Amino acid sequence: MLINVNCIRRTPAALLRKAGLSAAVLSLSLANAFAAPAFDQPDADFRGSLNAAGVVYAGSEAQLSGRGFTPGQEVILLQNGHTLTPEALVADKDGNLRATVAIPADAATGLHPVVMQVSKPSTASIFNLKVSPKVELSGQDKFELQSQHLVPGLYQSAYSPKSQALFVTSAVGRPPVKQSQLLKVNPKTLKIEASVTPAAQEGRTDGQVQAVYGVAVDDAQGNVWVSNTRSNTVSVYRQKDLKLVKQFEQGAASHARDVVVDQQAQRAYVSSPGSKLISVFDTKKLTALEPIELESKTRSPLSPMSLALDAENGRLYTVSASTNELIIVDLNNGNAQTVYALPGARGAAGVAVDSKNGQIYVASQGSDNLLIVDAKDSSVQHDIQIGAGALNVVFDPKTTLAYVASRGAGTVTAVNGNGEIVANLDGGSFPNHVSVDGEGNAYLVNKSKGKDDPTADRITRIHLK
């Protein structure tokens, strides 16, 4: 079904004034659209959901799919008070439904709440249809790019100045995850120099390994720290030969995501989305320490995502995707916290810090933007539309540029401290993470869209000319 919404622009009040209709008449017309009596049988156990597949741009079509409906259940969609569906969508025998919505060319970017008015049995719900900004590619002539295919499921990378090597994690699919590797990569040739497959996870009989996701280097101890997200823990490998040094017990870090290492203080910090904790480990003794309990200024539960460390000033930074807050932990002052709201951010995911200029960079998946925040007072200096699914950001002190990986848009964007886009580069399929080596190079890893994806599973070195 094709639903054209180009004509749906006037407010409900304007339409009522033009047509001379009362609110009661409008309500009656909506009720009649269902051809069912008012206050019919309610759905006491409604589980239906509706989502748009992929990225939606102004002037494009949104492919909607729904599931969890009662077979035969009918759905009418309304946006800004107007009916989007000339005919009701009907759930099939499996409770699924599909529709195609034409998005107006002048549609504003952002989240648009769409009401699902449901009948047979009846209920109502809301889903957010996101229209993303389309940022054209630019600035390719300012950079040198070199790419190399590695292995499936690339996730993150980290550079070791001591070993002069990149360490890259990979994990494929959902549990049971049977395919995962930790790679040691030559940063000049981008060739794999060594690799290791994690051991099987104890207590499981389905073949799942201790799959590796987040990664950080500890040059002081000669180790690599990785997060084992699926088993809620972390492990430590030796940089030299990728030999396993320590496998922490399951539950040591709930849904472990990012890892950062303070080499001088001999501490590793691990974020746990879905919890309010940052797990802490002694990098010399390889023991778990008391976690840092984060505090939100909202009533919603926190979900800390990326981590950024300013070791020189003893500051640890994270952002919460669920509450859209920036949390700064003072590691030199009993882990005292400063919590800032992030106006304009939705689904905050990536964070980076320019300690010299007092700027914090926040990338948000839900709002497709990059905020540059003043570290002193949390004021938003710049709000830049980056591209669909802005996931991760890293700041390079050498070039004074921040690099943002946008998973949906398929780009990596270089932004300066003035909020200007220096370049918007092709990042291949699903760019996932960017790291820097301190020598003016950024390293992007991306994932795969499918079996025959020629741009997938690459590491790309980005060098400013």
Side-chain angles (χ1 to χ4, degrees):
M1 176 181 290
L2 177 64
I3 308 163
N4 193 316
V5 298
N6 282 283
C7 62
I8 305 169
R9 294 189 186 129
R10 279 177 259 175
T11 65
L15 287 176
L16 288 175
R17 286 194 298 269
K18 183 174 181 179
L21 299 176
S22 67
V25 174
L26 178 62
S27 299
L28 181 62
S29 67
L30 290 177
N32 290 340
F34 281 98
F39 297 98
D40 63 349
Q41 180 62 43
D43 191 337
D45 192 29
F46 180 68
R47 298 182 181 180
S49 63
L50 195 62
N51 295 287
V55 180
V56 177
Y57 295 115
S60 70
E61 292 181 344
Q63 304 298 325
L64 305 182
S65 62
R67 62 180 181 177
F69 295 89
T70 300
Q73 204 161 36
E74 297 182 0
V75 180
I76 286 181
L77 303 180
L78 302 100
Q79 198 278 325
N80 198 23
H82 305 292
T83 306
L84 303 185
T85 44
E87 297 179 0
L89 309 176
V90 182
D92 63 20
K93 62 181 180 62
D94 297 315
N96 301 324
L97 53 84
R98 294 184 180 278
T100 299
V101 175
I103 306 300
D106 60 352
T109 60
L111 290 174
H112 298 270
V114 176
V115 176
M116 296 187 293
Q117 188 65 54
V118 185
S119 66
K120 300 180 183 179
S122 65
T123 189
S125 184
I126 294 176
F127 79 96
N128 287 318
L129 178 62
K130 184 174 74 169
V131 177
S132 294
K134 193 164 189 177
V135 182
E136 299 298 330
L137 298 180
S138 63
Q140 294 94 328
D141 58 322
K142 300 174 184 176
F143 291 85
E144 295 176 352
L145 276 67
Q146 181 181 350
S147 296
Q148 176 66 46
H149 179 272
L150 294 180
V151 298
L154 300 182
Y155 197 81
Q156 287 191 7
S157 70
Y159 177 76
S160 164
K162 184 177 181 179
S163 296
Q164 295 187 334
L166 277 167
F167 294 91
V168 184
T169 55
S170 72
V172 178
R174 297 186 178 277
V177 180
K178 302 178 182 180
Q179 188 177 350
S180 176
Q181 292 183 71
L182 174 61
L183 310 174
K184 187 176 184 179
V185 175
N186 186 308
K188 295 182 179 179
T189 66
L190 302 182
K191 299 290 187 180
I192 298 173
E193 294 184 335
S195 66
V196 63
T197 296
Q201 183 180 333
E202 290 186 5
R204 297 187 67 132
T205 59
D206 55 8
Q208 176 159 294
V209 298
Q210 290 284 12
V212 294
Y213 293 86
V215 60
V217 297
D218 178 9
D219 280 352
Q221 306 297 329
N223 292 328
V224 182
W225 284 71
V226 295
S227 60
N228 309 124
T229 305
R230 300 299 184 183
S231 51
N232 303 303
T233 188
V234 294
S235 51
V236 183
Y237 291 81
R238 193 160 62 191
Q239 290 186 22
K240 183 178 179 181
D241 54 10
L242 300 185
K243 180 180 178 181
L244 180 66
V245 177
K246 173 80 173 186
Q247 178 63 64
F248 285 85
E249 67 279 1
Q250 184 171 331
S254 176
H255 202 77
R257 188 185 190 271
D258 267 29
V259 187
V260 293
V261 173
D262 187 335
Q263 299 178 73
Q264 185 175 354
Q266 299 178 351
R267 294 291 184 267
Y269 301 94
V270 182
S271 64
S272 295
S275 83
K276 59 181 179 180
L277 299 179
I278 293 180
S279 300
V280 185
F281 300 87
D282 187 310
T283 59
K284 186 174 182 179
K285 297 178 181 179
L286 299 181
T287 55
L289 302 174
E290 193 71 21
I292 299 171
E293 186 172 331
L294 303 176
E295 300 176 2
S296 172
K297 288 188 175 180
T298 74
R299 294 184 178 181
S300 300
L302 284 161
S303 187
M305 297 287 282
S306 296
L307 296 175
L309 177 69
D310 177 6
E312 184 177 348
N313 295 300
R315 298 287 191 273
L316 180 66
Y317 300 80
T318 190
V319 288
S320 169
S322 56
T323 62
N324 298 305
E325 292 174 301
L326 167 69
I327 302 103
I328 306 173
V329 181
D330 188 344
L331 302 172
N332 296 330
N333 186 26
N335 297 332
Q337 298 172 37
T338 304
V339 182
Y340 292 134
L342 292 169
R346 191 178 182 100
V351 64
V353 59
D354 173 7
S355 57
K356 182 178 179 180
N357 294 303
Q359 292 180 309
I360 303 167
Y361 296 80
V362 178
S364 299
Q365 280 188 289
S367 45
D368 303 330
N369 63 341
L370 177 72
L371 298 181
I372 303 181
V373 177
D374 189 311
K376 293 181 180 180
D377 60 11
S378 81
S379 61
V380 176
Q381 298 176 339
H382 305 284
D383 184 345
I384 311 108
Q385 293 207 322
I386 292 294
L391 176 60
N392 274 299
V393 59
V394 65
F395 178 75
D396 183 8
K398 181 78 172 180
T399 62
T400 66
L401 295 176
Y403 294 90
V404 185
S406 296
R407 185 178 170 92
T411 57
V412 56
T413 310
V415 179
N416 64 26
N418 295 321
E420 300 165 333
I421 293 179
V422 176
N424 191 44
L425 308 172
D426 185 357
S429 304
F430 297 145
N432 203 67
H433 186 260
V434 192
S435 64
V436 294
D437 61 8
E439 299 176 5
N441 298 303
Y443 299 90
L444 172 73
V445 293
N446 75 308
K447 304 177 82 65
S448 173
K449 285 186 176 179
K451 185 177 179 181
D452 300 316
D453 185 350
T455 70
D457 305 318
R458 298 183 306 174
I459 186 164
T460 302
R461 185 176 62 239
I462 304 167
H463 180 75
L464 180 65
K465 292 180 180 178

